[in-house]
Amino acid sequence: MVEISVQDALVAFAAERDWEQFHTPENLAKSIAIEAGELLECFQWSADAEPKRVREELADVLTYCHLLAIRIGANPDQLVLDKLEVTRKKYPVETARGVSTKYDKLPDSSS
Ligand SMILES: Nc1ccn([C@H]2C[C@H](O)[C@@H](COP(=O)(O)OP(=O)(O)OP(=O)(O)O)O2)c(=O)n1
């Protein structure tokens, strides 16, 4: 079986429909927020959301995130890894382990 990457599948999906014209960074950023709202809606009245719906809404969020990354010429995995490097430094294991405190309220790990 030939495996097609998420990126290639999304590029083909949009090209077949001549939808690149609608996939501007602004429209895609709005679409991420809209689909994130739909994901949140799954939990509106109960923490016990329907798993199938959650997966579908999460897929829409991820789809628009990938489309935005493609549009700005970025690799989504690399974006996450680059940011994780920054976040690792903001939340050193020594001070952040087991607590959800915001980085600017954590004790100084170097002292
Ligand atoms: N101009 C568009 C419209 C849709 N899609 C893709 C991305 C989404 O993953 C999927 C579904 O988009 P819908 O607008 O149909 O959204 P929902 O599936 O959330 O439908 P509904 O709003 O009825 O819940 O189609 C896209 O790439 N570009």
Side-chain angles (χ1 to χ4, degrees):
M1 193 179 92
V2 179
E3 290 247 345
I4 182 166
S5 71
V6 170
Q7 177 146 341
D8 288 349
L10 288 173
V11 167
F13 170 85
E16 283 160 357
R17 288 160 183 77
D18 190 22
W19 279 3
E20 300 99 326
Q21 60 187 306
F22 308 120
H23 291 172
T24 60
E26 181 188 358
N27 285 351
L28 293 169
K30 286 190 288 191
S31 298
I32 291 169
I34 290 164
E35 295 298 343
E38 291 183 18
L39 175 61
L40 191 54
E41 196 181 14
C42 297
F43 300 93
Q44 186 173 15
W45 303 117
S46 165
D48 203 12
E50 187 195 327
K52 179 174 178 287
R53 243 187 101 200
V54 171
R55 283 197 293 270
E56 285 175 359
E57 299 304 348
L58 181 57
D60 286 331
V61 174
L62 290 169
T63 295
Y64 283 124
C65 289
H66 277 278
L67 284 169
L68 181 54
I70 292 166
R71 180 58 207 258
I72 65 170
N75 175 306
D77 285 352
Q78 196 59 55
L79 284 180
V80 172
L81 291 173
D82 289 348
K83 183 63 201 279
L84 189 58
E85 226 14 69
V86 174
T87 309
R88 272 206 189 93
K89 293 190 177 78
K90 277 163 55 179
Y91 293 93
V93 172
E94 306 84 64
T95 52
R97 186 175 163 78
V99 295
S100 59
T101 310
K102 184 82 176 166
Y103 67 91
D104 56 355
K105 300 272 185 293
L106 283 172
D108 187 353
S109 66
S110 63
S111 58

